[in-house]
């Protein structure tokens, strides 16, 4: 059976677990106010990899009790979009259930693909969240931008990533909490700094460090120090 990566296991499932982006998700900030009011517009998440764009989209879907659909723009077709829109319309009519469509790398959609979304986003058939590493004001159609709120993500701070790594070491359900891992603070600080704001990269580094020290059948303490973190 294929092992699930640590970065996937440690993905936050609630706003309380989510780390970073306080400038729009912190108390009293724009997205937090939207969620608390229950009035979410379509959104464009713009920022570097590993800073929580996909994770936050899933959290938003759960918060508003919406069905979550994921599409990767490079692999998606107009047919895929139309099928999701059709299901979203039926779901809204029959069950009064919302649908959130998350499109990763939305800048990779051509104009025709983006235009398919316009009417149904405007009419509230589905809620769109598009994620992009490219400036959306240059890479996303103006009509789609005008129907959306653009939120710019920042790379995670080293202290944010450090808190994520510590949680992964201690978490007994999703992390290494049941493996008797002892992580040198300097090793975790190194991973936090060298990840360059990317939580996924930091967690992968931690996972490699732990598993490279773990021998088959081992039950004793696993020490992660600065040497094997590099």
């Amino acid at each position: 059976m294929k092992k699930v990566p640590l970065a996937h296991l440690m993905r936050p499932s609630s706003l309380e677990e989510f780390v970073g982006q306080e400038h729009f998700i912190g108390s009293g900030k724009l997205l937090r106010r939207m969620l608390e009011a229950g009035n979410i517009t379509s959104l464009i998440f713009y920022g570097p990899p590993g800073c929580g764009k996909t994770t936050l989209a899933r959290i938003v879907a759960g918060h508003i009790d919406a069905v979550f659909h994921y599409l990767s723009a490079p692999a998606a077709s107009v047919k895929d979009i139309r099928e999701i829109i059709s299901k979203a319309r039926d779901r809204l009519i029959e069950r009064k259930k919302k649908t959130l469509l998350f499109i990763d790398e939305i800048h990779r959609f051509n104009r025709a693909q983006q235009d398919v979304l316009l009417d149904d986003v405007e009419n509230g058939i589905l809620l769109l969240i598009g994620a992009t590493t490219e400036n959306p004001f240059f890479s996303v159609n103006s009509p789609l931008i005008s129907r959306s709120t653009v939120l710019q993500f920042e790379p995670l701070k080293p202290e944010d990533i450090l808190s994520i790594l510590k949680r992964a070491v201690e978490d007994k359900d999703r992390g290494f909490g049941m493996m008797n891992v002892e992580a040198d603070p300097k090793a975790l600080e190194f991973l936090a700094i060298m990840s360059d704001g990317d939580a996924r990269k930091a967690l992968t580094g931690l996972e490699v460090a732990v598993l490279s020290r773990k021998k088959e059948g081992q039950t004793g303490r696993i020490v992660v120090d600065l040497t094997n973190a590099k």
Side-chain angles (χ1 to χ4, degrees), residues 2 12 16 24 35 39 48 52-53 69 75-76 110 125 146 162 164 172 182 188 191-192 213-214 225 227:
K2 186 177 180 180
E16 290 68 34
F24 61 72
L35 290 170
N39 292 319
K53 298 187 294 297
H69 284 279
N110 60 39
I125 299 300
S146 71
L162 189 58
I164 293 170
K172 294 182 179 180
E182 180 183 324
L188 297 184
L191 290 170
R213 300 290 292 173
K214 182 180 183 297
D225 57 24
T227 300

Side-chain angles (χ1 to χ4, degrees), residues 127-179:
L127 177 68
L128 171 70
I129 298 183
T132 178
T133 56
E134 305 288 334
N135 188 329
F137 295 101
F138 295 104
S139 60
V140 178
N141 286 359
S142 296
L144 199 53
I145 287 286
S146 71
R147 291 163 171 79
S148 307
T149 299
V150 177
L151 297 175
Q152 184 167 356
F153 283 60
E154 297 175 351
L156 294 177
K157 300 174 184 176
E159 55 265 34
D160 292 332
I161 294 183
L162 189 58
S163 71
I164 293 170
L165 293 172
K166 289 179 178 178
R167 184 190 301 165
V169 171
E170 298 168 0
D171 193 305
K172 294 182 179 180
D173 296 319
R174 298 177 295 171
F176 295 129
M178 298 296 289
M179 290 177 57

Side-chain angles (χ1 to χ4, degrees), residues 15 30 33-34 54 58 70 76 79 85 124 146 151 158 184-185 188 191 193 212:
L15 288 174
L30 179 59
R33 296 200 311 270
M34 285 183 178
T54 304
R58 290 183 181 275
Y70 174 96
K79 181 183 178 183
I85 291 173
S146 71
L151 297 175
D184 185 332
L188 297 184
L191 290 170
I193 293 170
S212 68

Side-chain angles (χ1 to χ4, degrees), residues 5-65:
L6 178 65
H8 180 80
L9 290 173
M10 293 305 301
R11 176 172 282 170
S13 58
S14 67
L15 288 174
E16 290 68 34
E17 287 187 348
F18 190 80
V19 175
Q21 316 312 327
E22 289 292 321
H23 56 293
F24 61 72
I25 198 62
S27 178
K29 301 301 182 180
L30 179 59
L31 184 55
R32 177 78 67 160
R33 296 200 311 270
M34 285 183 178
L35 290 170
E36 290 174 349
N39 292 319
I40 297 290
T41 65
S42 287
L43 304 166
I44 301 293
F45 288 171
Y46 164 41
C51 60
K53 298 187 294 297
T54 304
T55 295
L56 188 55
R58 290 183 181 275
I59 290 173
V60 169
H63 193 90
I64 64 175
D65 193 27

Side-chain angles (χ1 to χ4, degrees), residues 29-134:
K29 301 301 182 180
L30 179 59
L31 184 55
R32 177 78 67 160
R33 296 200 311 270
M34 285 183 178
L35 290 170
E36 290 174 349
N39 292 319
I40 297 290
T41 65
S42 287
L43 304 166
I44 301 293
F45 288 171
Y46 164 41
C51 60
K53 298 187 294 297
T54 304
T55 295
L56 188 55
R58 290 183 181 275
I59 290 173
V60 169
H63 193 90
I64 64 175
D65 193 27
V67 174
F68 183 88
H69 284 279
Y70 174 96
L71 282 181
S72 174
S77 65
V78 170
K79 181 183 178 183
D80 295 327
I81 301 169
R82 292 193 188 282
E83 287 179 355
I84 291 173
I85 291 173
S86 177
K87 291 177 181 177
R89 184 179 292 108
D90 292 343
R91 189 178 293 124
L92 190 62
I93 293 172
E94 296 170 6
R95 298 161 47 198
K96 308 299 182 186
K97 186 83 169 177
K98 299 175 183 176
T99 299
L100 189 153
L101 172 60
F102 178 76
I103 301 178
D104 201 9
E105 296 187 78
I106 194 170
H107 60 277
R108 300 283 296 275
F109 264 180
N110 60 39
R111 180 172 293 275
Q113 288 171 307
Q114 292 186 27
D115 285 349
V116 170
L117 296 162
L118 293 177
D119 288 345
D120 294 289
V121 167
E122 187 166 24
N123 295 334
I125 299 300
L126 55 76
L127 177 68
L128 171 70
I129 298 183
T132 178
T133 56
E134 305 288 334

